Amino acid sequence: LGIPAIVMIIADNQVRRTNILAKKGIITSLGKYSRISKNEIYKNVYKLSCNKNKRKSMSFRAKKLIDGRGVSMIIKEMEFICEKNKNRQ
């Protein structure tokens, strides 16, 4: 969709991908949820809402990331996770 996003990491398995997307300028990462203050959230939302160029850049970069195969990629990833977990049981 290309909607600029401010992201908080809730689980450890989100760290790597969140950092990659943030480094590419696709999202703004605030880091781990447990370490973020309300004021920090407010400041980042305010900064992004006042910076039209950054929002446009984030939107453009996000749209370049999307290839239209999202559903099939999600299904493939879900199948991989199920297989991986089946082997652990």
Side-chain angles (χ1 to χ4, degrees), residues 55-66:
R55 291 192 319 269
K56 286 175 97 173
S57 173
M58 290 171 76
S59 178
F60 175 77
R61 291 168 192 255
K63 286 177 183 176
K64 282 180 54 176
L65 184 68
I66 304 301

Side-chain angles (χ1 to χ4, degrees), residues 49-83:
S49 67
C50 293
N51 191 336
K52 184 177 182 178
N53 288 334
K54 183 166 183 168
R55 291 192 319 269
K56 286 175 97 173
S57 173
M58 290 171 76
S59 178
F60 175 77
R61 291 168 192 255
K63 286 177 183 176
K64 282 180 54 176
L65 184 68
I66 304 301
D67 62 6
R69 300 178 318 173
V71 172
S72 62
M73 289 172 54
I74 290 170
I75 290 171
K76 187 183 256 185
E77 184 69 18
M78 289 171 63
E79 289 171 342
F80 172 77
I81 290 169
C82 288
E83 274 301 311

Side-chain angles (χ1 to χ4, degrees), residues 39-55:
N39 189 46
E40 191 173 351
I41 295 169
Y42 172 81
K43 285 191 318 188
N44 278 276
V45 170
Y46 180 78
K47 279 175 36 180
L48 185 58
S49 67
C50 293
N51 191 336
K52 184 177 182 178
N53 288 334
K54 183 166 183 168
R55 291 192 319 269

